[in-house]
Amino acid sequence: MSTQPNSEKKRAVALISGGLDSLLAAKVMLEQGIHVEGINFYTGFCVEGHTHAIRKKDKAKPKRNNALWSAEQLGIKLHIIDIIEEYKDVLINPKHGYGANMNPCLDCKIFMISKAKQWMEENGFDFIITGEVIGQRPMSQRKDLLPIVVQESGADDLLVRPLCAKNLEATLPEREGWIDRDKMKGFSGRNRKPQMALAKEYGFEDYATPAGGCCFLTDKSYSDKLVDLWKARNKKEYELDDIMLLKVGRHIRPAPHFKLIVSREDGENKFLQGYKKNFAFIEIKSHNGPLTLIDGELSDDDLKLASRIAARFSQGRDADVVTVKTTTKEGREQQFDIPPMPTSEVKQEWYI
Amino acid sequence: MSLHKLDARHTLCPMPVIKTQNKIAGLEPGDLLEVTCTDPGALSDIPAWCRINGHTVKETRENDDEVVIVVQVAS
Ligand code: SF4
C-alpha cells in the first residue's frame, strides 16, 4: 500500500466493466480529485467484443468495446488484463456455486477484486473502486454477501463502492478523509432511475445497457452448450477456442460421441474457416451452404449422417441429392452425393 | 526507433488490444508496431486504446480479410 501523505493525490484503481455503474462509480471518484485508472479483466466469456465481430448481420452497427469507451469518456487509462487461464479454476470449481446458469458470480467477484488488489499493490495505488450497488443483482450484490467479497478477496476496507457507500460501513479512504463520504451515493435495489439521473447529470449519453450480466455465462443457451461440452468430454475443462466456438453457429449433437457446428451466415462461415485445421469439416459443393465443423471421432456411417444434416442447412435442402466434401483432421478428402435429411427427421433434442 | 510486428490474426477483440498493450509495454518510446488482425473490431478498439494511453495510430490498412494498424509508442 502507498504511504503517501494525505496532501498528495490519492490513486484508485477502478474495475471498469463497460456498463453504466462502473462508469459512474469512477466518475464520482474523479469528481473528488482522485487519480483514477481503470482495469478490465478478460475471462474469455465477456460480452464485450466477439459476437459483433463474428456475425455479419451486425456489421452495420458501430463496433466498440464499452470498457475502452468508458475509459475514454472518463479521460482515464485502461489496463485490460488477460485472466483466461486463472479464471478456469473459478468457473470449474466455484466455492460458492453457480447462479441461475453457469455464472459463478460471487467467486468471480472475489477473484476479480483480489486481482485488482494485487494490481493496486504492484502499481502503487491506494484503493479499489467498483460500481456495485446493493441488491441490484440477485447473486453477487446481496447486502449479506458483500462482506464475503471484502473478506475473501483480501481487499478489506480498501474496497470502495461509491454508488452505495452511504449504505455501507465507512471504508479506510473515507475514515482517513481521502474521500468525502457525504459526496458518495446511497443507491440500492434494482431501480435504475438514480443511475440514469446521475448519468444525465454527468452528461453521459449512449452508454451500454447490457440486458444480462457482464458475460455469456449468465445466458442459458450458452451455459447449456458449456455443460454439454464438459459432459461429452467427461471432464470439466476448456481452452479459449472451445469457449469461442460455443458462441458461433448451430450446435447439433446427433450422437453422444460427436457434435456438429453449422454456420448460420457468411460472417460465421468466415470465422469457422479459421478452425479448419483443428477439426474435421463438411463443405457443400453443389449448392450454397454452410461450413460445418465436426467435434468428435466419426465412423463412415456417422460421416454420412453428419453430411445429410449439413446438407439440410444448404440451399439444396429440397434437392434429391447434394454434393458434399468431407475433410478429416488429417486432411483426407472425400466427395460424394447424398440426400439432405428432411427437416422432420432432424430431431429437436439434437439441438444443444 | 525500430519497427516491430505483431500477429494478432484469428483472435477476437479484446485479444488484439491485449496483445498490442503487452507488446508495447516492452518497446521504447517512438518505436513503431505493425499489428495484423482478422477481427475488424480491432479497427475501432486499437485506436481507442491508443487514444486513452497516448500512443499514435500512424496508419490503418484494410483488405478483405485483414486489417493492419501501425502504432507509434508514446514518447
Ligand atoms: S456475470 Fe460473469 S463476469 Fe459478471 S460477475 Fe457474473 S460470472 Fe463474473
Side-chain angles (χ1 to χ4, degrees):
Chain A
M1 201 201 318
S2 166
T3 53
Q4 300 167 58
N6 271 359
S7 56
E8 274 186 34
K9 206 170 190 181
K10 291 292 173 186
R11 287 149 58 92
V13 55
L15 270 83
I16 299 289
S17 66
L20 177 59
D21 292 352
S22 60
L23 174 72
L24 293 175
K27 182 69 178 173
V28 169
M29 289 291 89
L30 283 168
E31 291 285 294
Q32 293 204 25
I34 299 294
H35 172 90
V36 179
E37 292 190 20
I39 194 168
N40 173 262
F41 294 112
Y42 180 57
T43 63
F45 297 97
C46 308
V47 176
E48 283 308 305
H50 296 174
T51 30
H52 71 202
I54 301 171
R55 298 203 72 178
K56 200 181 166 203
K57 74 175 174 58
D58 291 341
K59 257 196 167 160
K61 285 191 202 161
K63 296 180 182 69
R64 86 176 183 201
N65 174 305
N66 285 307
L68 286 167
W69 180 84
S70 295
E72 208 169 359
Q73 298 300 304
L74 293 161
I76 62 171
K77 285 192 174 175
L78 181 74
H79 310 274
I80 308 181
I81 317 260
D82 164 1
I83 53 164
I84 297 165
E85 278 306 311
E86 292 165 275
Y87 193 74
K88 287 178 182 173
D89 189 48
V90 178
L91 174 57
I92 293 170
N93 305 303
K95 187 173 152 197
H96 298 284
Y98 299 103
N101 293 297
M102 290 304 287
N103 48 312
C105 288
L106 191 51
D107 290 83
C108 178
K109 278 267 150 63
I110 293 167
F111 177 69
M112 287 190 183
I113 291 170
S114 67
K115 291 296 291 179
K117 178 163 184 252
Q118 187 188 339
W119 191 95
M120 173 192 91
E121 288 167 346
E122 286 168 2
N123 292 278
F125 277 59
D126 301 293
F127 63 101
I128 305 163
I129 309 167
T130 70
E132 288 160 293
V133 171
I134 302 167
Q136 186 157 278
R137 295 194 195 281
M139 184 171 170
S140 59
Q141 298 185 2
R142 266 174 30 205
K143 190 166 186 178
D144 56 328
L145 296 180
L146 291 185
I148 297 181
V149 175
V150 169
Q151 279 158 21
E152 293 193 17
S153 65
D156 300 323
D157 55 1
L158 290 176
L159 176 60
V160 177
R161 294 147 166 139
L163 299 188
C164 63
K166 279 190 171 161
N167 305 325
L168 303 171
E169 262 182 50
T171 56
L172 184 94
E174 291 160 279
R175 294 197 308 271
E176 292 288 315
W178 302 347
I179 52 178
D180 183 351
R181 185 172 167 87
D182 290 343
K183 292 190 185 142
M184 311 286 260
K185 307 293 168 193
F187 301 165
S188 72
R190 291 176 165 244
N191 180 9
R192 305 281 300 152
K193 284 197 182 126
Q195 281 95 319
M196 283 150 81
L198 189 59
K200 199 167 173 207
E201 189 185 319
Y202 287 144
F204 293 135
E205 286 169 12
D206 196 25
Y207 45 81
T209 48
C214 22
C215 81
F216 275 99
L217 296 169
T218 56
D219 181 75
K220 173 157 181 0
S221 141
Y222 187 88
S223 294
D224 288 348
K225 292 188 188 113
L226 181 63
V227 171
D228 168 81
L229 181 90
W230 285 344
K231 205 168 139 201
R233 293 193 181 163
N234 225 348
K235 49 184 170 229
K236 279 170 120 186
E237 59 169 36
Y238 62 86
E239 294 304 327
L240 182 61
D241 280 342
D242 294 324
I243 61 178
M244 290 291 123
L245 283 169
L246 297 184
K247 297 172 190 169
V248 189
R250 292 182 181 85
H251 288 234
I252 301 171
R253 188 176 291 287
H257 60 288
F258 73 92
K259 174 175 88 168
L260 307 176
I261 305 173
V262 187
S263 76
R264 289 171 292 194
E265 40 74 73
D266 277 1
E268 290 192 342
N269 230 32
K270 209 165 157 190
F271 180 75
L272 292 182
Q273 297 282 348
Y275 286 90
K276 276 174 155 181
K277 56 185 183 306
N278 312 82
F279 288 88
F281 57 90
I282 304 167
E283 293 163 297
I284 310 295
K285 288 291 167 190
S286 53
H287 300 79
N288 274 335
L291 171 63
T292 301
L293 300 184
I294 304 169
D295 186 15
E297 298 298 325
L298 274 69
S299 68
D300 285 350
D301 282 349
D302 292 335
L303 197 57
K304 295 243 157 59
L305 174 72
S307 301
R308 291 189 63 210
I309 296 170
R312 179 257 168 266
F313 292 102
S314 76
Q315 285 184 1
R317 68 178 69 89
D318 298 321
D320 290 339
V321 288
V322 164
T323 306
V324 301
K325 187 173 121 189
T326 61
T327 307
T328 64
K329 244 199 257 183
E330 296 72 36
R332 206 159 24 85
E333 296 176 352
Q334 225 184 324
Q335 188 157 316
F336 48 87
D337 291 344
I338 200 144
M341 182 173 282
T343 308
S344 58
E345 284 179 33
V346 182
K347 295 186 186 150
Q348 210 45 47
E349 62 263 31
W350 291 351
Y351 286 92
I352 309 164
Chain B
M1 182 189 88
S2 46
L3 174 66
H4 302 261
K5 295 202 174 197
L6 176 67
D7 182 358
R9 289 175 302 164
H10 307 298
T11 66
L12 292 176
C13 281
M15 281 315 286
V17 182
I18 297 176
K19 282 171 177 265
T20 303
Q21 169 190 269
N22 296 352
K23 179 84 181 174
I24 283 183
L27 300 185
E28 297 295 326
D31 280 359
L32 292 172
L33 179 66
E34 184 181 286
V35 191
T36 308
C37 312
T38 41
D39 179 355
L43 270 181
S44 93
D45 290 357
I46 292 181
W49 180 82
C50 289
R51 285 195 299 275
I52 291 166
N53 291 285
H55 307 297
T56 311
V57 174
K58 299 297 273 185
E59 190 188 339
T60 57
R61 297 193 296 272
E62 200 180 348
N63 62 31
D64 268 0
D65 297 321
E66 292 184 355
V67 297
V68 177
I69 301 163
V70 182
V71 179
Q72 183 157 41
V73 181
S75 39

